[in-house]
Amino acid sequence: MQRNQSSSFYLGVDGGGSKCKAVVVNHDLEILGSAVAGPANPCVDYQLAIHSITESCSQALAEAGLSQQQHQIELGLALAGVNFENVFQRVNEWSHPYHSMRLITDWHAACLGAHEGKDGAVVIVGTGSCGYVCVDGHSKSFGGHGFPVGDKGSGAWLGLQAVKAALLAKDEMGPATLLMDKLCESLSCKPEELAIRMVGASSAHYAQLAKTVFAANKDGDEQAARILREATDYIEAMLASILKYQPPRLSFVGGITPFLVPLLNSELRERISRPLANPEMGAVYALLKNNR
Amino acid sequence: MQRNQSSSFYLGVDGGGSKCKAVVVNHDLEILGSAVAGPANPCVDYQLAIHSITESCSQALAEAGLSQQQHQIELGLALAGVNFENVFQRVNEWSHPYHSMRLITDWHAACLGAHEGKDGAVVIVGTGSCGYVCVDGHSKSFGGHGFPVGDKGSGAWLGLQAVKAALLAKDEMGPATLLMDKLCESLSCKPEELAIRMVGASSAHYAQLAKTVFAANKDGDEQAARILREATDYIEAMLASILKYQPPRLSFVGGITPFLVPLLNSELRERISRPLANPEMGAVYALLKNNR
């Protein structure tokens, strides 16, 4: 069957632990609408994820003046957590209202976006951390196992290390640090309230504390410097593994990027290029790769 | 008002993240009944904690042939999490059905139990970790901030370190280790399933994996040895802080004790005496200290 390409529209979605972004484009990749909705990590809350995806898509389509009833909408859905096979299967069986759906990991979408659908690699350092390389049809991920077992160097990891160091210093069982003051300021709490404030905290909550580590490091705090050294050691080791695959381009994405990249060694820094497009556009590129 | 002591019965309760133990004794501290119920950490689930406390007390009283309607029952309640002021206040305002209630931390109860109500110190290494010293009416705690921000050296901490080391090795970004095999055996899963199996896992769940570290260490695994060295360094530092208070006795309590104590330096090991009674009896001693 010959597809009438001009009547197709592409919906690109990138969902993760804190938000879900959607973009609608036509066949010429002109952006017709976009929207942001709530958390969409199916490992954390499947129903909420589906709700956020639906909401972001509906809003983006409304902005574009399109509806899934009247137009042929193809959904490129990039989600955190679908690297796990059982999570992938569950989301992939979702009876979505669109013409078709392609489900990929958020890492894959970030990589496709950063290099406009071409080969390359990304290091994602946001709430979580992960490396992803895609060369000659082969792809491989590094890290990205989730918090707290993985995600070293990420915002959540940095926040957790800050709290740990502050509590050790408070108990006089670890070196003195400025981190307690920074954390208490950030959380508007007293030192004795810090631990209870963090009971059951989500990775997104920990990630909000990452800025205390960069601030304390700027003020010459040795514990903050130690934490950032451990983070950059890990990210540099990840980069060494990634570069063995000789990706033609390498980008960093995620909220921690502007703070962490300047701390990497200069030889590695020179290899980094800016992302050409965002992950939700990456999800659209995944559709085009399928179709063309 | 003169109390008629012979008609009083004492209910001692020790509640934590995995279970709640109750004991009923008479004025001569003869055990009349005992029971175990489910989790009772009010930080994790307040309603469940109250339910588990009530259940364990009812069962212990039934075994003793007593009822709170017909007998004067004094409750000594030791709970995890009540070191946090707001949690203490909430539990302390519970409209319990007993004649009176005294609420203390589980650490305090462990210390009172271990030394039969007399001065001393304890190091608790179970699901969590904490030090507690009580000398001349003054008490002080060390660590015990909860998982994952504190509780270094605990079962939960050991389990988490094992998973982290196994995943780093799997990604070829950390040294090889036997821990992945041990963890997969313990969880009946494949290496690629390890991370997803641990998403959102409780501290009790992580603590069940602590045994993999001791097993791998026995088999000469360097990563397991590194993890245990970090644990013993922390516990030894905690002991150094505790011993400054010159407690007349020092005991270790908690499920990790038999595995961890043999790894401590011999000078410290010689200072350790066995606990004379359990924490629920410690909660009874807290009542007696109040009354006598």
Side-chain angles (χ1 to χ4, degrees), chain B:
Chain B
M1 192 181 83
Q2 185 84 27
R3 292 178 64 257
N4 180 357
Q5 293 188 320
S6 60
S7 74
S8 279
F9 296 93
Y10 303 113
L11 196 45
V13 170
D14 178 47
S18 54
K19 56 182 179 290
C20 185
K21 293 168 135 190
V23 66
V24 188
V25 301
N26 61 18
H27 198 73
D28 296 324
L29 300 190
E30 288 170 325
I31 293 174
L32 308 177
S34 64
V36 183
N41 184 331
C43 294
V44 177
D45 189 333
Y46 177 82
Q47 292 303 339
L48 178 61
I50 294 295
H51 177 79
S52 299
I53 294 161
T54 310
E55 194 170 86
S56 65
C57 288
S58 298
Q59 286 179 17
L61 287 170
E63 191 180 294
L66 300 171
S67 77
Q68 74 259 21
Q69 290 88 3
Q70 289 163 16
H71 300 89
Q72 184 169 303
I73 311 289
E74 299 189 28
L75 171 63
L77 177 57
L79 280 190
V82 299
N83 49 306
F84 299 118
E85 204 181 306
N86 54 343
V87 181
F88 182 93
Q89 279 176 3
R90 189 171 179 199
V91 178
N92 210 34
E93 284 163 8
W94 170 42
S95 59
H96 61 81
Y98 310 104
H99 178 73
S100 65
M101 175 176 92
R102 185 176 181 206
L103 179 62
I104 61 172
T105 65
D106 51 343
W107 313 330
H108 190 177
C111 194
L112 286 169
H115 313 301
E116 288 188 329
K118 299 191 183 69
D119 281 0
V122 282
V123 173
I124 304 158
V125 205
T127 303
S129 73
C130 183
Y132 192 85
V133 60
C134 194
V135 174
D136 296 332
H138 297 284
S139 64
K140 189 172 161 59
S141 64
F142 303 84
H145 303 295
F147 182 77
V149 297
D151 288 6
K152 204 165 172 178
S154 69
W157 184 89
L158 288 167
L160 176 58
Q161 305 316 309
V163 176
K164 280 181 170 182
L167 291 173
L168 280 174
K170 179 173 169 284
D171 285 344
E172 294 173 16
M173 287 169 60
T177 170
L178 301 172
L179 284 163
M180 182 59 94
D181 284 352
K182 307 271 185 204
L183 288 165
C184 288
E185 197 184 330
S186 177
L187 291 164
S188 303
C189 74
K190 293 180 210 154
E192 56 272 25
E193 294 167 343
L194 177 61
I196 184 76
R197 288 288 295 272
M198 301 314 292
V199 169
S202 65
S203 55
H205 190 170
Y206 278 105
Q208 285 164 9
L209 303 177
K211 60 180 182 288
T212 64
V213 183
F214 295 104
N217 183 51
K218 216 171 174 181
D219 292 350
D221 186 72
E222 277 185 30
Q223 290 308 298
R226 175 189 58 76
I227 292 167
L228 288 173
R229 205 155 45 239
E230 202 178 333
T232 52
D233 282 353
Y234 176 76
I235 299 298
E236 288 179 358
M238 185 187 271
L239 282 171
S241 297
I242 286 172
L243 291 172
K244 282 180 196 159
Y245 290 79
Q246 302 188 298
R249 270 187 112 245
L250 168 70
S251 294
F252 269 63
V253 296
I256 301 297
T257 297
F259 307 102
L260 200 67
V261 167
L263 305 177
L264 298 176
N265 80 53
S266 59
E267 203 183 322
L268 288 170
R269 266 203 325 270
E270 282 166 16
R271 305 288 297 264
I272 302 169
S273 310
R274 70 172 184 85
L276 299 174
N278 56 34
E280 53 271 32
M281 273 306 293
V284 171
Y285 284 114
L287 287 173
L288 299 180
K289 273 183 174 272
N290 248 19
N291 291 344
R292 285 175 180 168

